[in-house]
Coordinates of all heavy atoms in Angstrom, one line a residue:
D183 N -7.4 -4.9 -9.9 CA -7.6 -6.1 -10.8 C -6.2 -6.8 -10.7 O -5.2 -6.3 -11.1 CB -7.9 -5.7 -12.2 CG -8.2 -6.8 -13.1 OD1 -7.7 -7.9 -12.9 OD2 -9.0 -6.6 -14.0
V184 N -6.2 -8.0 -10.3 CA -5.0 -8.8 -10.2 C -4.3 -9.0 -11.5 O -3.1 -8.9 -11.6 CB -5.3 -10.2 -9.6 CG1 -4.0 -11.1 -9.6 CG2 -5.7 -10.1 -8.1
A185 N -5.1 -9.0 -12.6 CA -4.5 -9.2 -14.0 C -3.7 -7.9 -14.3 O -2.7 -8.1 -15.0 CB -5.6 -9.4 -15.0
D186 N -4.0 -6.8 -13.8 CA -3.2 -5.5 -14.1 C -1.9 -5.6 -13.4 O -0.9 -5.2 -14.0 CB -4.0 -4.3 -13.6 CG -5.2 -4.0 -14.4 OD1 -5.3 -4.5 -15.6 OD2 -6.0 -3.1 -14.0
V187 N -1.8 -6.1 -12.2 CA -0.6 -6.3 -11.5 C 0.3 -7.3 -12.2 O 1.5 -7.1 -12.5 CB -0.8 -6.6 -10.0 CG1 0.5 -7.0 -9.3 CG2 -1.4 -5.4 -9.3
S188 N -0.3 -8.4 -12.6 CA 0.4 -9.5 -13.3 C 1.0 -9.0 -14.6 O 2.1 -9.2 -15.0 CB -0.5 -10.7 -13.6 OG -0.9 -11.3 -12.4
A189 N 0.2 -8.2 -15.3 CA 0.6 -7.6 -16.6 C 1.8 -6.6 -16.4 O 2.8 -6.6 -17.2 CB -0.5 -6.9 -17.3
S190 N 1.8 -5.9 -15.3 CA 2.9 -4.9 -15.0 C 4.2 -5.7 -14.7 O 5.2 -5.3 -15.1 CB 2.5 -4.0 -13.9 OG 1.5 -3.1 -14.3
I191 N 4.0 -6.8 -13.9 CA 5.2 -7.6 -13.6 C 5.8 -8.2 -14.9 O 7.0 -8.2 -15.1 CB 4.8 -8.7 -12.6 CG1 4.4 -8.1 -11.3 CG2 5.9 -9.7 -12.5 CD1 3.8 -9.1 -10.3
T192 N 4.9 -8.7 -15.8 CA 5.4 -9.3 -17.0 C 6.0 -8.3 -17.9 O 7.1 -8.5 -18.5 CB 4.2 -10.0 -17.8 OG1 3.6 -11.0 -16.9 CG2 4.6 -10.6 -19.1
E193 N 5.4 -7.1 -18.0 CA 5.9 -6.1 -19.0 C 7.1 -5.4 -18.4 O 8.1 -5.1 -19.2 CB 4.8 -5.1 -19.3 CG 5.2 -4.1 -20.3 CD 4.1 -3.2 -20.8 OE1 2.9 -3.5 -20.5 OE2 4.4 -2.2 -21.5
F194 N 7.2 -5.0 -17.2 CA 8.2 -4.2 -16.6 C 9.2 -4.9 -15.6 O 10.2 -4.4 -15.3 CB 7.6 -2.9 -15.9 CG 6.8 -2.1 -16.9 CD1 5.4 -2.1 -16.7 CD2 7.3 -1.4 -17.9 CE1 4.6 -1.4 -17.6 CE2 6.6 -0.7 -18.8 CZ 5.2 -0.6 -18.6
G195 N 8.8 -6.1 -15.2 CA 9.6 -6.9 -14.3 C 10.1 -6.2 -13.1 O 9.3 -5.6 -12.4
D196 N 11.4 -6.4 -12.8 CA 12.0 -5.9 -11.6 C 11.9 -4.4 -11.4 O 11.8 -3.9 -10.3 CB 13.5 -6.3 -11.6 CG 14.1 -6.3 -10.2 OD1 13.4 -6.8 -9.2 OD2 15.1 -5.7 -10.0
R197 N 11.9 -3.7 -12.6 CA 11.8 -2.2 -12.5 C 10.4 -1.8 -11.8 O 10.4 -0.9 -11.0 CB 11.9 -1.6 -13.9 CG 12.0 -0.1 -13.9 CD 12.2 0.5 -15.3 NE 10.9 0.3 -15.9 CZ 10.7 0.7 -17.2 NH1 11.7 1.1 -17.9 NH2 9.5 0.6 -17.7
Y198 N 9.4 -2.5 -12.2 CA 8.0 -2.2 -11.6 C 8.0 -2.6 -10.1 O 7.6 -1.9 -9.3 CB 7.0 -3.0 -12.4 CG 5.7 -3.1 -11.7 CD1 4.8 -2.0 -11.6 CD2 5.2 -4.2 -11.0 CE1 3.6 -2.0 -10.9 CE2 4.0 -4.3 -10.4 CZ 3.2 -3.2 -10.3 OH 2.0 -3.3 -9.6
L199 N 8.5 -3.8 -9.9 CA 8.5 -4.4 -8.5 C 9.3 -3.5 -7.6 O 8.8 -3.2 -6.5 CB 9.0 -5.8 -8.5 CG 8.2 -6.8 -9.2 CD1 8.9 -8.2 -9.4 CD2 6.8 -7.0 -8.5
R200 N 10.4 -3.0 -7.9 CA 11.3 -2.2 -7.0 C 10.8 -0.8 -6.9 O 11.0 -0.2 -5.9 CB 12.7 -2.2 -7.6 CG 13.4 -3.5 -7.6 CD 13.7 -4.0 -6.3 NE 14.2 -5.4 -6.3 CZ 14.1 -6.2 -5.3 NH1 13.6 -5.9 -4.2 NH2 14.6 -7.5 -5.5
R201 N 10.0 -0.3 -7.9 CA 9.5 1.0 -7.8 C 8.3 1.1 -6.9 O 8.0 2.1 -6.2 CB 9.1 1.5 -9.2 CG 8.5 2.9 -9.2 CD 8.3 3.3 -10.6 NE 7.7 4.7 -10.6 CZ 6.9 5.1 -11.5 NH1 6.6 4.4 -12.6 NH2 6.4 6.3 -11.4
V202 N 7.5 0.0 -6.8 CA 6.3 -0.1 -6.0 C 6.4 -0.7 -4.6 O 5.8 -0.2 -3.7 CB 5.2 -0.8 -6.8 CG1 3.9 -0.9 -6.0 CG2 4.9 0.0 -8.1
F203 N 7.2 -1.8 -4.6 CA 7.2 -2.6 -3.3 C 8.5 -2.6 -2.7 O 9.6 -2.5 -3.3 CB 6.8 -4.1 -3.7 CG 5.5 -4.2 -4.4 CD1 5.4 -4.4 -5.7 CD2 4.3 -4.1 -3.6 CE1 4.2 -4.5 -6.4 CE2 3.1 -4.2 -4.3 CZ 3.0 -4.3 -5.6
T204 N 8.5 -2.8 -1.4 CA 9.8 -2.9 -0.6 C 10.3 -4.3 -0.7 O 9.6 -5.3 -1.1 CB 9.6 -2.6 0.9 OG1 8.7 -3.6 1.5 CG2 9.0 -1.2 1.1
D205 N 11.6 -4.5 -0.4 CA 12.2 -5.9 -0.4 C 11.4 -6.8 0.5 O 11.2 -8.0 0.2 CB 13.6 -5.8 0.1 CG 14.5 -5.2 -1.0 OD1 14.2 -5.1 -2.1 OD2 15.7 -4.7 -0.6
A206 N 11.0 -6.3 1.7 CA 10.2 -7.1 2.7 C 8.9 -7.6 2.1 O 8.5 -8.7 2.3 CB 10.1 -6.4 4.0
E207 N 8.2 -6.6 1.4 CA 6.9 -7.0 0.8 C 7.1 -8.0 -0.3 O 6.3 -9.0 -0.4 CB 6.3 -5.7 0.2 CG 5.7 -4.8 1.2 CD 5.2 -3.5 0.6 OE1 5.9 -2.9 -0.3 OE2 4.2 -3.0 1.1
L208 N 8.1 -7.9 -1.1 CA 8.4 -8.9 -2.2 C 8.7 -10.2 -1.6 O 8.2 -11.2 -2.1 CB 9.5 -8.4 -3.1 CG 9.2 -7.1 -3.9 CD1 10.5 -6.6 -4.6 CD2 8.1 -7.4 -4.9
A209 N 9.5 -10.3 -0.5 CA 9.8 -11.5 0.1 C 8.6 -12.2 0.7 O 8.4 -13.4 0.6 CB 10.9 -11.3 1.2
R210 N 7.8 -11.4 1.3 CA 6.5 -11.9 2.0 C 5.5 -12.4 1.0 O 4.7 -13.3 1.4 CB 5.9 -10.8 2.8 CG 4.7 -11.2 3.6 CD 4.8 -10.9 5.0 NE 3.7 -11.4 5.7 CZ 3.7 -12.4 6.6 NH1 4.8 -13.0 6.9 NH2 2.6 -12.8 7.2
C211 N 5.6 -12.0 -0.2 CA 4.5 -12.3 -1.2 C 5.0 -13.5 -2.1 O 4.2 -13.8 -3.1 CB 4.2 -11.1 -2.0 SG 3.3 -9.9 -1.1
E212 N 6.1 -14.1 -1.9 CA 6.6 -15.2 -2.7 C 5.6 -16.3 -2.6 O 5.0 -16.5 -1.6 CB 8.0 -15.7 -2.3 CG 9.1 -14.7 -2.7 CD 9.2 -14.6 -4.3 OE1 9.0 -15.5 -5.0 OE2 9.4 -13.4 -4.7
G213 N 5.5 -17.1 -3.7 CA 4.6 -18.3 -3.7 C 3.5 -18.2 -4.7 O 3.5 -17.3 -5.6
P214 N 2.6 -19.2 -4.7 CA 1.7 -19.3 -5.8 C 0.6 -18.2 -5.9 O 0.0 -18.0 -6.9 CB 1.0 -20.7 -5.5 CG 1.3 -21.0 -4.0 CD 2.6 -20.3 -3.7
T215 N 0.4 -17.5 -4.8 CA -0.6 -16.4 -4.8 C 0.1 -15.0 -4.8 O -0.4 -14.0 -4.4 CB -1.5 -16.4 -3.6 OG1 -0.8 -16.4 -2.4 CG2 -2.4 -17.7 -3.6
R216 N 1.3 -15.0 -5.4 CA 2.2 -13.8 -5.4 C 1.4 -12.6 -6.0 O 1.4 -11.5 -5.4 CB 3.4 -14.0 -6.2 CG 4.4 -12.8 -6.3 CD 5.6 -13.1 -7.1 NE 6.5 -12.1 -7.0 CZ 7.4 -11.7 -7.9 NH1 7.4 -12.3 -9.1 NH2 8.2 -10.7 -7.8
A217 N 0.8 -12.7 -7.2 CA 0.2 -11.6 -7.9 C -1.0 -11.1 -7.0 O -1.2 -9.9 -6.9 CB -0.3 -12.0 -9.3
Q218 N -1.8 -12.0 -6.4 CA -2.9 -11.6 -5.6 C -2.4 -10.8 -4.4 O -3.0 -9.8 -4.0 CB -3.7 -12.8 -5.1 CG -4.5 -13.4 -6.3 CD -3.7 -14.6 -6.8 OE1 -2.5 -14.7 -6.8 NE2 -4.5 -15.6 -7.4
R219 N -1.4 -11.3 -3.7 CA -0.9 -10.7 -2.5 C -0.2 -9.3 -2.8 O -0.4 -8.4 -2.1 CB 0.1 -11.6 -1.8 CG -0.6 -12.9 -1.3 CD 0.3 -13.9 -0.8 NE 0.6 -13.5 0.6 CZ 1.6 -14.0 1.3 NH1 2.3 -15.0 0.9 NH2 1.8 -13.6 2.6

Side-chain angles (χ1 to χ4, degrees):
D183 188 331
V184 173
D186 290 345
V187 172
S188 292
S190 292
I191 294 169
T192 299
E193 186 170 347
F194 303 108
D196 199 48
R197 189 177 75 182
Y198 166 76
L199 292 170
R200 299 287 173 203
R201 183 175 177 207
V202 176
F203 303 102
T204 66
D205 290 340
E207 287 172 319
L208 293 171
R210 181 124 182 113
C211 292
E212 286 299 320
T215 59
R216 181 182 189 211
Q218 292 95 331
R219 296 175 80 190

